[in-house]
Amino acid sequence: MSTTSTAGIKLKTRRPAFDATVELLSSMRFAISLLTMIAIASVIGTVMKQNEPMSNYVNQFGPFWFEVFNKVGLYAVYSAWWFLAIMGFLVVSTTLCIVRNTPKMLKDMRSWRENVREQSLLNFHHKNDWTSPLPRAALAQQMAQRLGHAGYKARIVEKEHATLVTAKRGAGAKFGYIFAHSAIVIICIGGLLDSDMPIRFQEWFMGKTPFAGSGVIADIPAQHRLGLGNPTYRANTAIPEGQASNTAIIPRADGVLIQDLPFTILLKKFNIDFYSTGMPKLFASEVEVRDHETGKTFSSVIEVNKPLIYKGLAVYQSSFEDGGTKLKLKGYPMAGADKASFDVTGEVNAATPLGKEYTVEWTGFRPFNVENMASQDARAVAKGEKLEDSFARGLRSLDQQLGSAAKNANNKDLKNVGPSVQYKLRDQTGQAREFQNYMQPVTVDGATVFLAGVRANPGDPFSYLRIPADDEHTVKEWMRLRAALHDPALRTLAAERYARRAMPGGSAAPANAAAGAGSAALRDQLAQSSARSLNMFAGAEAGDGKDGGPVGGFVAISRFLEKVPQAEQEKAADIFMKILNGSMWELWQAAREKDGLAPVEGNEQHGRFLQLATNALSDATFYGAPVYLQLDEFNEVKASVFQVTKSPGKNVVYLGCLFLVLGVFSMFYIRERRLWVWIKDSEAGAHALMAMSTQRKTLDFDKEFADLKEKLPQSA
């Protein structure tokens, strides 16, 4: 830029705004600010799980903060526009630093710094002078020779009435600055090359949009697919055993993009080994790869940290999952007086209609579960604790044990509790509860029970309903008792039988009419108490819940006892529970009699079963499902999850890492030293003044100066 003065002379002027911008961008404070922001973003990306399903973030943060975090891109920090912008500014800032300072450094490295004066050398901290009998020229040659032996490059410069010997060593230390700053630029460029900017470019300018529906991958339209020319991506593909795939999925915030691959991967077999704790020890995939262009087919084994590299793509063994295990289950009603079981079939990752109101979404299957089944102290009900709290306490107690094998590998009580199935039961309104049921009974706190897990939210742990196993290790007897509890006729019959059995002398006839009338009244009263206890426990009486509907189980009993004066609550509770236990026993016998079965023997084993069954019936009021599905048979199908990456920036990053190592090594292990010897004539021969400097003063530098101070003045 130029202006014209009043004298007509053109004057060159600087552009202050542009120069100030360049100065800011290339300044150290600006670069440090960018690095600080990158560090903060990295902390966020480490603490907050990245690229999770959006529903998980909604459940974790709530609708309001979900939207706030989504707007600023915290769910995919490393591909957020602001993070990439910071990286871009860091590249610009560091590049300007290099462009501005490298020529100066290279010039200084080549420079001998000949324009020193004797007076300036006298101001150095590290200096020494001496007199030599040698002439000035001979002494200069001797100094240059001795400095060369000490590892210095020396040069003799004639001055007015004096000779200057200038020497340097370690000038390559400045390459450390150049290499380190170049490494930052190169690594950032490599990171940007491997970012999702090319994919975003295709979304912005080429009409590519994420696919949010469902269906066959081959039928997905072209606007949701990325071609073979896509320069960089990181995608996943899940392949069941015996099946093949020639596409991968790139997750986006509002769907997925389909990435076409130049080859087809056929998973022939998936192999997995486990530790005794149930944790995966080794998993590998035996695959067959067919090249689409050449038709070439070859076999390979992909293991963790041993990827398949082909045509510029790396196929990593990422994880494994269920590939569509075929399931056969037995269904039991959990509501009403119906106890008839029914068959259910399903496939993991698919859905099965259950009547007209529900759909079962099969989400997972595990062939075995190694759990820490160490016995724990029984949790007694604290004094004054409400009976409904026993449900939460009882269900949580098993959470202390299940899933703990991986947490405590040294525990000696690790047991395989068998297969389990996980599914969601969704109603017509879209509301769903998730369930996890074990196929075989397990022993918990000395009792053999079937575990039926339930949770309302995906982020919550499972709570477990304990259904006691009967003499045949099935749930049939509990299901029979559950159905009988909801049958008014059987409840009435059980109440009458309990009243007769509870009368003094059992059902024997009274000795006289007066006694008979009194006994009949007492029997009727006992029958009414028994019937009320069963009705209340079954939830057949009007409740005082929040919705005014019936309340069953121990919750109903607890609320009934709250109406009794506090001084009499303990006695009333003892009487009520005795009546309930006796009535439940008669109800069980009546149910077996109705089905044509012989009564069970009244022993300790059956008494323990009835106690556990009563507790489970109370807890079942919170189960929240119309059916209980018990796994009967399965045909396991494994699937391998591969990560397919195309990383053109990988080699660029490797080059940047090499530069970084060279730069750090140069800066820390190479020290630049400058030395000058000013020689002038004297009466005795020649007088020499030596001065030495370095950018980093260390003990080694002091030692080196002392050594040169001693050796250089020595006579030949």
Side-chain angles (χ1 to χ4, degrees):
M1 182 176 180
S2 63
T3 60
T4 304
S5 67
T6 56
I9 301 175
K10 289 186 177 182
L11 302 175
K12 291 185 177 180
T13 59
R14 302 183 67 184
R15 293 172 290 181
F18 176 79
D19 292 343
T21 302
V22 173
E23 180 68 27
L24 173 64
L25 292 176
S26 59
S27 64
M28 181 176 292
R29 65 181 183 275
F30 185 73
I32 292 176
S33 300
L34 293 175
L35 290 172
T36 302
M37 287 188 287
I38 291 176
I40 294 174
S42 300
V43 170
I44 295 173
T46 302
V47 173
M48 183 180 294
K49 291 184 178 180
Q50 300 290 290
N51 300 310
E52 290 281 306
M54 289 300 167
S55 58
N56 292 3
Y57 295 120
V58 174
N59 293 332
Q60 183 176 0
F61 302 115
F64 175 77
W65 288 110
F66 165 78
E67 289 295 338
V68 173
F69 294 158
N70 189 39
K71 290 293 184 183
V72 295
L74 296 188
Y75 306 138
V77 169
Y78 304 113
S79 59
W81 66 268
W82 53 267
F83 184 83
L84 297 177
I86 294 174
M87 295 284 288
F89 275 113
L90 183 61
V91 170
V92 172
S93 174
T94 311
T95 302
L96 288 175
C97 269
I98 296 172
V99 170
R100 293 184 64 190
N101 297 320
T102 297
K104 300 176 184 178
M105 290 184 175
L106 294 177
K107 182 179 179 180
D108 185 66
M109 290 167 59
R110 293 192 298 267
S111 171
W112 291 92
R113 299 186 185 179
E114 306 168 359
N115 299 323
V116 296
R117 298 181 180 181
E118 181 181 9
Q119 187 61 39
S120 63
L121 296 180
L122 289 172
N123 295 326
F124 277 54
H125 177 74
H126 293 80
K127 62 181 183 293
N128 185 39
D129 65 312
W130 70 94
T131 301
S132 173
L134 295 176
R136 175 160 51 102
L139 181 59
Q141 291 292 336
Q142 186 186 76
M143 292 297 101
Q145 185 178 9
R146 289 184 177 180
L147 288 171
H149 291 161
Y152 284 79
K153 293 181 179 181
R155 185 175 183 178
I156 300 175
V157 181
E158 291 297 331
K159 298 286 186 176
E160 185 177 359
H161 306 301
T163 300
L164 176 66
V165 179
T166 176
K168 59 184 178 181
R169 183 180 182 184
K174 288 186 170 59
F175 279 117
Y177 175 92
I178 299 172
F179 284 149
H181 284 69
S182 299
I184 295 175
V185 175
I186 294 171
I187 292 174
C188 288
I189 291 176
L192 291 172
L193 288 176
D194 284 348
S195 70
D196 69 343
M197 287 303 295
I199 298 177
R200 292 194 176 198
F201 181 86
Q202 296 178 68
E203 289 179 328
W204 292 337
F205 303 106
M206 300 178 64
K208 300 297 182 180
T209 58
F211 180 72
S214 60
V216 180
I217 291 181
D219 298 335
I220 295 178
Q223 67 265 28
H224 308 305
R225 309 177 75 97
L226 301 177
L228 300 179
N230 188 17
T232 177
Y233 54 84
R234 189 180 301 270
N236 297 302
T237 180
I239 308 176
E241 282 183 322
Q243 298 186 30
S245 174
N246 58 3
T247 59
I249 294 176
I250 301 176
R252 310 300 287 171
D254 50 353
V256 297
L257 290 170
I258 308 301
Q259 174 63 56
D260 293 327
L261 304 178
F263 47 76
T264 298
I265 304 175
L266 170 65
L267 179 61
K268 296 190 293 185
K269 187 178 181 181
F270 179 75
N271 303 304
I272 182 169
D273 294 328
F274 293 91
Y275 290 105
S276 60
T277 61
M279 295 294 291
K281 180 179 181 181
L282 171 69
F283 49 94
S285 300
E286 299 178 17
V287 300
E288 183 178 275
V289 180
R290 181 175 62 84
D291 191 311
H292 296 167
E293 183 178 358
T294 64
K296 174 185 175 183
T297 301
F298 62 92
S299 298
S300 180
V301 177
I302 304 175
E303 301 180 23
V304 178
N305 298 326
K306 294 181 181 179
L308 166 66
I309 309 295
Y310 185 65
K311 282 201 165 184
L313 300 181
V315 183
Y316 294 90
Q317 178 70 66
S318 175
S319 61
F320 60 92
E321 61 184 28
D322 197 285
T325 295
K326 307 296 188 297
L327 306 170
K328 291 185 179 180
L329 305 95
K330 188 73 71 175
Y332 296 90
M334 291 289 284
D338 185 14
K339 64 176 182 300
S341 62
F342 54 93
D343 295 328
V344 180
T345 59
E347 180 180 320
V348 176
N349 301 324
T352 301
L354 191 64
K356 297 181 180 180
E357 298 181 357
Y358 293 93
T359 300
V360 184
E361 300 173 0
W362 310 102
T363 58
F365 167 80
R366 295 182 65 179
F368 65 90
N369 296 269
V370 177
E371 306 292 355
N372 175 15
M373 303 306 294
S375 61
Q376 300 184 358
D377 295 336
R379 290 165 172 77
V381 179
K383 185 176 181 180
E385 178 186 15
K386 293 184 179 180
L387 289 176
E388 62 262 34
D389 294 338
S390 67
F391 168 74
R393 184 192 68 252
L395 296 191
R396 282 197 304 266
S397 63
L398 193 63
D399 294 338
Q400 304 288 335
Q401 302 172 21
L402 292 181
S404 59
K407 303 174 187 175
N408 189 3
N410 295 324
N411 195 287
K412 303 301 183 181
D413 198 8
L414 302 179
K415 290 184 175 62
N416 176 17
V417 297
S420 66
V421 62
Q422 195 166 322
Y423 60 90
K424 291 181 180 179
L425 194 61
R426 192 175 302 277
D427 59 22
Q428 292 178 324
T429 65
Q431 299 296 317
R433 276 194 159 199
E434 193 169 9
F435 300 87
Q436 183 183 35
N437 296 342
Y438 286 78
M439 181 179 183
Q440 301 170 354
V442 299
T443 301
V444 181
D445 294 338
T448 304
V449 296
F450 288 90
L451 301 176
V454 57
R455 65 182 178 188
N457 299 310
D460 297 338
F462 281 101
S463 297
Y464 289 88
L465 172 65
R466 304 181 185 185
I467 301 177
D470 54 28
D471 293 344
E472 298 179 357
H473 293 280
T474 69
V475 298
K476 293 180 180 178
E477 286 300 319
W478 187 83
M479 291 296 174
R480 191 192 320 277
L481 185 58
R482 187 214 62 79
L485 183 63
H486 292 84
D487 188 332
L490 285 179
R491 290 200 302 268
T492 302
L493 178 60
E496 294 174 353
R497 290 185 176 184
Y498 170 77
R500 288 197 299 268
R501 185 171 61 86
M503 288 290 294
S507 58
N512 53 61
S519 297
L522 179 59
R523 185 170 61 249
D524 291 342
Q525 186 177 0
L526 285 174
Q528 291 177 6
S529 298
S530 174
R532 185 173 187 188
S533 67
L534 290 175
N535 292 339
M536 191 180 302
F537 193 75
E541 291 191 355
D544 55 357
K546 294 181 180 180
D547 57 356
V551 178
F554 292 135
V555 176
I557 297 175
S558 173
R559 293 181 179 179
F560 169 75
L561 294 175
E562 288 176 353
K563 301 175 183 178
V564 178
Q566 186 173 1
E568 302 178 9
Q569 281 185 2
E570 185 175 351
K571 180 179 179 181
D574 183 59
I575 296 174
F576 200 99
M577 292 306 297
K578 287 181 178 180
I579 294 175
L580 177 63
N581 291 336
S583 302
M584 290 295 293
W585 176 267
E586 296 298 336
L587 181 66
W588 185 17
Q589 307 310 313
R592 288 182 59 86
E593 180 181 326
K594 179 182 177 181
D595 294 339
L597 301 175
V600 296
E601 181 181 354
N603 53 30
E604 182 179 355
Q605 177 182 349
H606 292 147
R608 173 66 169 163
F609 172 84
L610 184 63
Q611 178 187 2
L612 295 172
T614 303
N615 294 338
L617 287 171
S618 176
D619 294 344
T621 59
F622 298 89
Y623 190 59
V627 295
Y628 164 74
L629 302 179
Q630 185 183 29
L631 184 61
D632 194 19
E633 296 180 19
F634 61 87
N635 181 17
E636 186 183 11
V637 179
K638 303 185 185 74
S640 187
V641 179
F642 298 110
Q643 185 180 79
V644 185
T645 62
K646 189 175 183 180
S647 306
K650 179 177 63 176
N651 294 330
V652 178
V653 172
Y654 289 160
L655 176 63
C657 292
L658 175 62
F659 271 55
L660 184 61
V661 172
L662 293 175
V664 171
F665 180 85
S666 300
M667 287 190 294
F668 281 92
Y669 295 99
I670 300 178
R671 294 177 293 110
E672 182 183 13
R673 285 92 80 198
R674 295 279 182 165
L675 187 145
W676 298 267
V677 181
W678 187 275
I679 306 173
K680 61 182 180 180
D681 296 325
S682 69
E683 295 180 358
H687 178 268
L689 172 63
M690 179 188 73
M692 191 174 180
S693 71
T694 183
Q695 290 182 336
R696 290 185 291 118
K697 292 181 173 61
T698 61
L699 294 177
D700 289 339
F701 174 73
D702 292 335
K703 182 179 179 182
E704 183 179 2
F705 174 74
D707 187 53
L708 291 174
K709 180 180 178 181
E710 179 183 352
K711 291 181 178 179
L712 290 181
Q714 293 178 359
S715 301

